[in-house]
PDB file of all heavy atoms in Angstrom:
ATOM      1  N   GLY A 328     107.331 117.447  28.322  1.00  0.00           N
ATOM      2  CA  GLY A 328     107.434 116.939  26.955  1.00  0.00           C
ATOM      3  C   GLY A 328     106.460 117.642  26.036  1.00  0.00           C
ATOM      4  O   GLY A 328     105.319 117.921  26.420  1.00  0.00           O
ATOM      5  N   TRP A 329     106.915 117.937  24.828  1.00  0.00           N
ATOM      6  CA  TRP A 329     106.055 118.596  23.852  1.00  0.00           C
ATOM      7  C   TRP A 329     104.951 117.650  23.391  1.00  0.00           C
ATOM      8  O   TRP A 329     105.173 116.457  23.203  1.00  0.00           O
ATOM      9  CB  TRP A 329     106.858 119.047  22.645  1.00  0.00           C
ATOM     10  CG  TRP A 329     108.077 119.859  22.951  1.00  0.00           C
ATOM     11  CD1 TRP A 329     109.368 119.551  22.651  1.00  0.00           C
ATOM     12  CD2 TRP A 329     108.128 121.126  23.613  1.00  0.00           C
ATOM     13  NE1 TRP A 329     110.225 120.538  23.076  1.00  0.00           N
ATOM     14  CE2 TRP A 329     109.491 121.526  23.681  1.00  0.00           C
ATOM     15  CE3 TRP A 329     107.159 121.975  24.169  1.00  0.00           C
ATOM     16  CZ2 TRP A 329     109.900 122.712  24.269  1.00  0.00           C
ATOM     17  CZ3 TRP A 329     107.569 123.169  24.748  1.00  0.00           C
ATOM     18  CH2 TRP A 329     108.916 123.523  24.798  1.00  0.00           C
ATOM     19  N   ALA A 330     103.769 118.201  23.156  1.00  0.00           N
ATOM     20  CA  ALA A 330     102.653 117.408  22.630  1.00  0.00           C
ATOM     21  C   ALA A 330     101.539 118.338  22.195  1.00  0.00           C
ATOM     22  O   ALA A 330     101.283 119.359  22.838  1.00  0.00           O
ATOM     23  CB  ALA A 330     102.130 116.431  23.678  1.00  0.00           C
ATOM     24  N   GLY A 331     100.855 117.960  21.113  1.00  0.00           N
ATOM     25  CA  GLY A 331      99.721 118.730  20.630  1.00  0.00           C
ATOM     26  C   GLY A 331      98.406 118.170  21.126  1.00  0.00           C
ATOM     27  O   GLY A 331      98.346 117.088  21.719  1.00  0.00           O
ATOM     28  N   GLN A 332      97.339 118.899  20.865  1.00  0.00           N
ATOM     29  CA  GLN A 332      96.010 118.456  21.281  1.00  0.00           C
ATOM     30  C   GLN A 332      95.576 117.167  20.594  1.00  0.00           C
ATOM     31  O   GLN A 332      94.639 116.510  21.042  1.00  0.00           O
ATOM     32  CB  GLN A 332      94.995 119.563  21.017  1.00  0.00           C
ATOM     33  CG  GLN A 332      95.173 120.768  21.919  1.00  0.00           C
ATOM     34  CD  GLN A 332      94.208 121.899  21.593  1.00  0.00           C
ATOM     35  OE1 GLN A 332      93.711 121.986  20.460  1.00  0.00           O
ATOM     36  NE2 GLN A 332      93.947 122.756  22.559  1.00  0.00           N
ATOM     37  N   VAL A 333      96.307 116.776  19.571  1.00  0.00           N
ATOM     38  CA  VAL A 333      95.998 115.537  18.864  1.00  0.00           C
ATOM     39  C   VAL A 333      96.149 114.320  19.767  1.00  0.00           C
ATOM     40  O   VAL A 333      95.700 113.227  19.408  1.00  0.00           O
ATOM     41  CB  VAL A 333      96.897 115.398  17.614  1.00  0.00           C
ATOM     42  CG1 VAL A 333      98.324 115.033  17.989  1.00  0.00           C
ATOM     43  CG2 VAL A 333      96.321 114.381  16.628  1.00  0.00           C
ATOM     44  N   ILE A 334      96.734 114.462  20.948  1.00  0.00           N
ATOM     45  CA  ILE A 334      96.831 113.301  21.844  1.00  0.00           C
ATOM     46  C   ILE A 334      95.457 112.723  22.138  1.00  0.00           C
ATOM     47  O   ILE A 334      95.338 111.537  22.461  1.00  0.00           O
ATOM     48  CB  ILE A 334      97.576 113.622  23.155  1.00  0.00           C
ATOM     49  CG1 ILE A 334      96.825 114.641  24.007  1.00  0.00           C
ATOM     50  CG2 ILE A 334      98.994 114.086  22.861  1.00  0.00           C
ATOM     51  CD1 ILE A 334      97.457 114.860  25.376  1.00  0.00           C
ATOM     52  N   GLY A 335      94.419 113.537  22.005  1.00  0.00           N
ATOM     53  CA  GLY A 335      93.068 113.018  22.196  1.00  0.00           C
ATOM     54  C   GLY A 335      92.660 111.998  21.160  1.00  0.00           C
ATOM     55  O   GLY A 335      91.675 111.264  21.346  1.00  0.00           O
ATOM     56  N   LEU A 336      93.420 111.908  20.072  1.00  0.00           N
ATOM     57  CA  LEU A 336      93.123 110.947  19.000  1.00  0.00           C
ATOM     58  C   LEU A 336      94.127 109.793  18.961  1.00  0.00           C
ATOM     59  O   LEU A 336      94.052 108.949  18.068  1.00  0.00           O
ATOM     60  CB  LEU A 336      93.145 111.666  17.640  1.00  0.00           C
ATOM     61  CG  LEU A 336      92.184 112.848  17.474  1.00  0.00           C
ATOM     62  CD1 LEU A 336      92.388 113.508  16.122  1.00  0.00           C
ATOM     63  CD2 LEU A 336      90.740 112.390  17.636  1.00  0.00           C
ATOM     64  N   ILE A 337      95.050 109.756  19.912  1.00  0.00           N
ATOM     65  CA  ILE A 337      96.085 108.721  19.917  1.00  0.00           C
ATOM     66  C   ILE A 337      95.723 107.654  20.939  1.00  0.00           C
ATOM     67  O   ILE A 337      95.583 107.944  22.135  1.00  0.00           O
ATOM     68  CB  ILE A 337      97.469 109.328  20.243  1.00  0.00           C
ATOM     69  CG1 ILE A 337      97.870 110.315  19.159  1.00  0.00           C
ATOM     70  CG2 ILE A 337      98.518 108.230  20.385  1.00  0.00           C
ATOM     71  CD1 ILE A 337      99.177 111.056  19.438  1.00  0.00           C
ATOM     72  N   HIS A 338      95.593 106.422  20.479  1.00  0.00           N
ATOM     73  CA  HIS A 338      95.147 105.341  21.351  1.00  0.00           C
ATOM     74  C   HIS A 338      96.043 104.105  21.302  1.00  0.00           C
ATOM     75  O   HIS A 338      95.763 103.108  21.966  1.00  0.00           O
ATOM     76  CB  HIS A 338      93.714 104.938  20.990  1.00  0.00           C
ATOM     77  CG  HIS A 338      92.760 106.094  20.942  1.00  0.00           C
ATOM     78  ND1 HIS A 338      92.465 106.867  22.049  1.00  0.00           N
ATOM     79  CD2 HIS A 338      92.067 106.639  19.909  1.00  0.00           C
ATOM     80  CE1 HIS A 338      91.615 107.826  21.709  1.00  0.00           C
ATOM     81  NE2 HIS A 338      91.360 107.707  20.419  1.00  0.00           N
ATOM     82  N   ASP A 339      97.111 104.160  20.501  1.00  0.00           N
ATOM     83  CA  ASP A 339      97.982 102.997  20.417  1.00  0.00           C
ATOM     84  C   ASP A 339      99.370 103.434  19.969  1.00  0.00           C
ATOM     85  O   ASP A 339      99.596 104.602  19.666  1.00  0.00           O
ATOM     86  CB  ASP A 339      97.415 101.943  19.468  1.00  0.00           C
ATOM     87  CG  ASP A 339      97.277 102.440  18.030  1.00  0.00           C
ATOM     88  OD1 ASP A 339      97.527 103.639  17.771  1.00  0.00           O
ATOM     89  OD2 ASP A 339      96.911 101.637  17.147  1.00  0.00           O
ATOM     90  N   VAL A 340     100.292 102.465  19.946  1.00  0.00           N
ATOM     91  CA  VAL A 340     101.673 102.722  19.525  1.00  0.00           C
ATOM     92  C   VAL A 340     101.997 101.742  18.397  1.00  0.00           C
ATOM     93  O   VAL A 340     102.629 100.709  18.602  1.00  0.00           O
ATOM     94  CB  VAL A 340     102.656 102.569  20.697  1.00  0.00           C
ATOM     95  CG1 VAL A 340     104.074 102.920  20.254  1.00  0.00           C
ATOM     96  CG2 VAL A 340     102.251 103.462  21.873  1.00  0.00           C
ATOM     97  N   PRO A 341     101.568 102.041  17.181  1.00  0.00           N
ATOM     98  CA  PRO A 341     101.797 101.140  16.049  1.00  0.00           C
ATOM     99  C   PRO A 341     103.191 101.325  15.468  1.00  0.00           C
ATOM    100  O   PRO A 341     103.938 102.235  15.867  1.00  0.00           O
ATOM    101  CB  PRO A 341     100.740 101.599  15.045  1.00  0.00           C
ATOM    102  CG  PRO A 341     100.667 103.083  15.288  1.00  0.00           C
ATOM    103  CD  PRO A 341     100.842 103.260  16.776  1.00  0.00           C
ATOM    104  N   THR A 342     103.545 100.482  14.532  1.00  0.00           N
ATOM    105  CA  THR A 342     104.724 100.784  13.718  1.00  0.00           C
ATOM    106  C   THR A 342     104.352 101.924  12.781  1.00  0.00           C
ATOM    107  O   THR A 342     103.163 102.208  12.545  1.00  0.00           O
ATOM    108  CB  THR A 342     105.163  99.585  12.873  1.00  0.00           C
ATOM    109  OG1 THR A 342     104.138  99.303  11.896  1.00  0.00           O
ATOM    110  CG2 THR A 342     105.400  98.345  13.741  1.00  0.00           C
ATOM    111  N   VAL A 343     105.341 102.601  12.255  1.00  0.00           N
ATOM    112  CA  VAL A 343     105.072 103.684  11.309  1.00  0.00           C
ATOM    113  C   VAL A 343     104.337 103.144  10.083  1.00  0.00           C
ATOM    114  O   VAL A 343     103.400 103.772   9.581  1.00  0.00           O
ATOM    115  CB  VAL A 343     106.380 104.386  10.904  1.00  0.00           C
ATOM    116  CG1 VAL A 343     106.149 105.341   9.736  1.00  0.00           C
ATOM    117  CG2 VAL A 343     106.974 105.142  12.098  1.00  0.00           C
ATOM    118  N   GLN A 344     104.732 101.970   9.612  1.00  0.00           N
ATOM    119  CA  GLN A 344     104.078 101.379   8.451  1.00  0.00           C
ATOM    120  C   GLN A 344     102.600 101.121   8.733  1.00  0.00           C
ATOM    121  O   GLN A 344     101.732 101.411   7.894  1.00  0.00           O
ATOM    122  CB  GLN A 344     104.770 100.077   8.055  1.00  0.00           C
ATOM    123  CG  GLN A 344     104.195  99.404   6.808  1.00  0.00           C
ATOM    124  CD  GLN A 344     104.398 100.235   5.553  1.00  0.00           C
ATOM    125  OE1 GLN A 344     105.461 100.816   5.356  1.00  0.00           O
ATOM    126  NE2 GLN A 344     103.381 100.300   4.706  1.00  0.00           N
ATOM    127  N   GLU A 345     102.308 100.596   9.909  1.00  0.00           N
ATOM    128  CA  GLU A 345     100.909 100.353  10.278  1.00  0.00           C
ATOM    129  C   GLU A 345     100.129 101.659  10.354  1.00  0.00           C
ATOM    130  O   GLU A 345      98.961 101.720   9.934  1.00  0.00           O
ATOM    131  CB  GLU A 345     100.851  99.624  11.621  1.00  0.00           C
ATOM    132  CG  GLU A 345     101.321  98.182  11.557  1.00  0.00           C
ATOM    133  CD  GLU A 345     101.531  97.569  12.924  1.00  0.00           C
ATOM    134  OE1 GLU A 345     101.589  98.314  13.939  1.00  0.00           O
ATOM    135  OE2 GLU A 345     101.657  96.323  12.997  1.00  0.00           O
ATOM    136  N   LEU A 346     100.754 102.692  10.877  1.00  0.00           N
ATOM    137  CA  LEU A 346     100.092 103.989  10.963  1.00  0.00           C
ATOM    138  C   LEU A 346      99.752 104.519   9.572  1.00  0.00           C
ATOM    139  O   LEU A 346      98.631 104.984   9.328  1.00  0.00           O
ATOM    140  CB  LEU A 346     100.987 104.991  11.702  1.00  0.00           C
ATOM    141  CG  LEU A 346     100.477 106.434  11.762  1.00  0.00           C
ATOM    142  CD1 LEU A 346      99.163 106.516  12.512  1.00  0.00           C
ATOM    143  CD2 LEU A 346     101.526 107.339  12.423  1.00  0.00           C
ATOM    144  N   PHE A 347     100.690 104.438   8.644  1.00  0.00           N
ATOM    145  CA  PHE A 347     100.432 104.911   7.285  1.00  0.00           C
ATOM    146  C   PHE A 347      99.323 104.103   6.624  1.00  0.00           C
ATOM    147  O   PHE A 347      98.431 104.662   5.980  1.00  0.00           O
ATOM    148  CB  PHE A 347     101.713 104.834   6.447  1.00  0.00           C
ATOM    149  CG  PHE A 347     102.535 106.088   6.479  1.00  0.00           C
ATOM    150  CD1 PHE A 347     103.199 106.482   7.634  1.00  0.00           C
ATOM    151  CD2 PHE A 347     102.656 106.891   5.354  1.00  0.00           C
ATOM    152  CE1 PHE A 347     103.948 107.635   7.666  1.00  0.00           C
ATOM    153  CE2 PHE A 347     103.406 108.055   5.372  1.00  0.00           C
ATOM    154  CZ  PHE A 347     104.066 108.432   6.540  1.00  0.00           C
ATOM    155  N   GLN A 348      99.366 102.791   6.761  1.00  0.00           N
ATOM    156  CA  GLN A 348      98.336 101.957   6.149  1.00  0.00           C
ATOM    157  C   GLN A 348      96.958 102.326   6.692  1.00  0.00           C
ATOM    158  O   GLN A 348      95.979 102.431   5.938  1.00  0.00           O
ATOM    159  CB  GLN A 348      98.648 100.490   6.399  1.00  0.00           C
ATOM    160  CG  GLN A 348      99.849  99.982   5.633  1.00  0.00           C
ATOM    161  CD  GLN A 348     100.224  98.555   5.997  1.00  0.00           C
ATOM    162  OE1 GLN A 348      99.808  98.027   7.035  1.00  0.00           O
ATOM    163  NE2 GLN A 348     101.011  97.923   5.156  1.00  0.00           N
ATOM    164  N   ARG A 349      96.887 102.534   7.991  1.00  0.00           N
ATOM    165  CA  ARG A 349      95.613 102.896   8.605  1.00  0.00           C
ATOM    166  C   ARG A 349      95.143 104.258   8.102  1.00  0.00           C
ATOM    167  O   ARG A 349      93.967 104.433   7.755  1.00  0.00           O
ATOM    168  CB  ARG A 349      95.760 102.936  10.118  1.00  0.00           C
ATOM    169  CG  ARG A 349      94.474 103.323  10.848  1.00  0.00           C
ATOM    170  CD  ARG A 349      94.773 103.632  12.314  1.00  0.00           C
ATOM    171  NE  ARG A 349      95.516 102.560  12.938  1.00  0.00           N
ATOM    172  CZ  ARG A 349      96.132 102.687  14.109  1.00  0.00           C
ATOM    173  NH1 ARG A 349      96.124 103.854  14.748  1.00  0.00           N
ATOM    174  NH2 ARG A 349      96.770 101.666  14.635  1.00  0.00           N
ATOM    175  N   MET A 350      96.044 105.231   8.060  1.00  0.00           N
ATOM    176  CA  MET A 350      95.673 106.569   7.630  1.00  0.00           C
ATOM    177  C   MET A 350      95.074 106.575   6.234  1.00  0.00           C
ATOM    178  O   MET A 350      94.035 107.201   5.990  1.00  0.00           O
ATOM    179  CB  MET A 350      96.896 107.494   7.655  1.00  0.00           C
ATOM    180  CG  MET A 350      97.323 107.972   9.020  1.00  0.00           C
ATOM    181  SD  MET A 350      98.754 109.081   8.930  1.00  0.00           S
ATOM    182  CE  MET A 350      98.078 110.454   7.974  1.00  0.00           C
ATOM    183  N   PHE A 351      95.714 105.847   5.333  1.00  0.00           N
ATOM    184  CA  PHE A 351      95.260 105.941   3.946  1.00  0.00           C
ATOM    185  C   PHE A 351      94.070 105.035   3.660  1.00  0.00           C
ATOM    186  O   PHE A 351      93.314 105.284   2.725  1.00  0.00           O
ATOM    187  CB  PHE A 351      96.446 105.735   3.007  1.00  0.00           C
ATOM    188  CG  PHE A 351      97.370 106.916   3.072  1.00  0.00           C
ATOM    189  CD1 PHE A 351      98.482 106.910   3.894  1.00  0.00           C
ATOM    190  CD2 PHE A 351      97.061 108.076   2.394  1.00  0.00           C
ATOM    191  CE1 PHE A 351      99.294 108.032   4.008  1.00  0.00           C
ATOM    192  CE2 PHE A 351      97.854 109.201   2.501  1.00  0.00           C
ATOM    193  CZ  PHE A 351      98.971 109.187   3.313  1.00  0.00           C
TER     194      PHE A 351
END
Side-chain angles (χ1 to χ4, degrees):
W329 308 119
Q332 291 177 336
V333 74
I334 65 174
L336 302 176
I337 297 176
H338 308 297
D339 62 355
V340 183
T342 66
V343 170
Q344 182 65 41
E345 289 168 345
L346 175 62
F347 269 69
Q348 290 174 343
R349 179 192 308 166
M350 284 181 63
F351 290 96

